[in-house]
Amino acid sequence: MKRFWSGSGIATNKEMVKNLQNYGVVGSKKVSEVMESIDRAFFVPDDAPPYVDTPLPIGYNATISAPHMHATCLQLLEKHLQPGMRALDVGSGTGYLTACFALMIGPEGRAVGVEHIPELVASSIENINKSAAAPLLKEGSLSLHVADGRQGWPECSSYDAIHVGAAAAEIPPALIDQLKPGGRMVIPVGNIFQDLMVVDKDADGSVNIHNETSVRYVPLTSREAQLRDN
């Protein structure tokens, strides 16, 4: 598993973003600004070091991704997270990336998080209410829902950007259907060996897929299967 730094010597969210820049993970000014604005500390368990570059368990056999993976996904989706656009975050977990999406697309856009563990949805709303994205949640351009993310969230489709935070055995057809022509989806695919796949839908509706990098995510599965070993 890739990790750009370890230890808990980094004390602030701003230092974490600076590290991501220093290691060449973040080159985008907009992504840097958004990651500085949304403090990761609000989205990790209280006893966890928030700024270490590692995934962290959040209960229910789920994790919050490492900062470098969040940065990578934000950069891959940046052109599809412009003001006024629509974004879907599947497996939204603690709400961190959904909050980042909402800040990027602003009050004229629509950011939707779906998560099939009700307790995580409830806590993610609490987390976001502590963050810079709280006004967007209050006025409704940001929302979180209990749902099977493999089915997306048709009520607000189609989406310019879709992010999937768990590994699918194959790309769910419903998510391709809900991707807007000209839109992009980032999704880890595979079982033991996984790749971060970038799915681009052309203006004519044709789909192009390329492999961005090797990754390791928890599986995208049913609520029952996820909780079986909890």
Side-chain angles (χ1 to χ4, degrees):
M1 184 176 63
K2 186 184 285 186
R3 183 185 298 183
F4 286 91
W5 69 87
S6 57
S8 52
I10 295 178
T12 68
N13 196 63
K14 188 162 188 169
E15 285 179 79
M16 179 193 79
V17 176
K18 189 70 177 170
N19 257 22
L20 290 168
Q21 293 169 328
N22 291 342
Y23 282 102
V25 181
V26 175
S28 158
K29 184 170 182 282
K30 181 67 175 175
V31 170
S32 296
E33 288 172 352
V34 166
M35 290 188 75
E36 281 187 16
S37 298
I38 301 294
D39 194 330
R40 184 175 159 89
F42 294 137
F43 296 88
V44 303
D46 290 340
D47 56 348
Y51 309 123
V52 175
D53 191 37
T54 187
L56 295 168
I58 57 173
Y60 312 97
N61 289 323
T63 61
I64 178 172
S65 294
H68 81 266
M69 280 310 310
H70 282 149
T72 297
C73 292
L74 285 168
Q75 291 210 142
L76 287 169
L77 291 169
E78 181 179 7
K79 290 180 181 175
H80 308 272
L81 293 168
Q82 300 299 314
M85 289 186 172
R86 289 178 173 252
L88 174 65
D89 186 18
V90 172
S92 49
T94 66
Y96 174 82
L97 212 53
T98 324
C100 291
F101 289 169
L103 222 56
M104 290 179 83
I105 60 184
E108 303 303 316
R110 193 76 170 79
V112 177
V114 291
E115 167 61 57
H116 60 191
I117 305 295
E119 293 87 349
L120 286 178
V121 173
S123 63
S124 69
I125 290 169
E126 291 177 12
N127 298 339
I128 289 171
N129 273 324
K130 299 173 195 169
S131 80
L136 299 167
L137 184 66
K138 186 175 182 182
E139 58 86 13
S141 62
L142 164 57
S143 62
L144 296 116
H145 308 274
V146 179
D148 184 340
R150 296 170 297 181
Q151 304 305 316
W153 190 253
E155 287 86 338
C156 294
S157 74
S158 52
Y159 299 98
D160 299 279
I162 298 177
H163 167 266
V164 182
E170 56 188 30
I171 300 170
L175 298 183
I176 293 176
D177 290 345
Q178 290 173 37
L179 190 63
K180 188 180 291 186
R184 170 173 280 192
M185 170 165 50
V186 175
I187 177 171
V189 178
N191 294 311
I192 296 169
F193 300 101
Q194 302 166 4
D195 295 302
L196 190 67
M197 308 304 283
V198 176
V199 181
D200 289 308
K201 185 180 278 191
D202 293 341
D204 64 1
S206 60
V207 172
N208 298 296
I209 302 171
H210 77 262
N211 179 347
E212 182 67 23
T213 185
S214 296
V215 290
R216 188 71 187 270
Y217 279 75
V218 298
L220 182 70
T221 184
S222 68
R223 185 191 311 174
E224 293 72 26
Q226 184 171 328
L227 294 178
R228 199 169 291 147
D229 301 320
N230 199 50

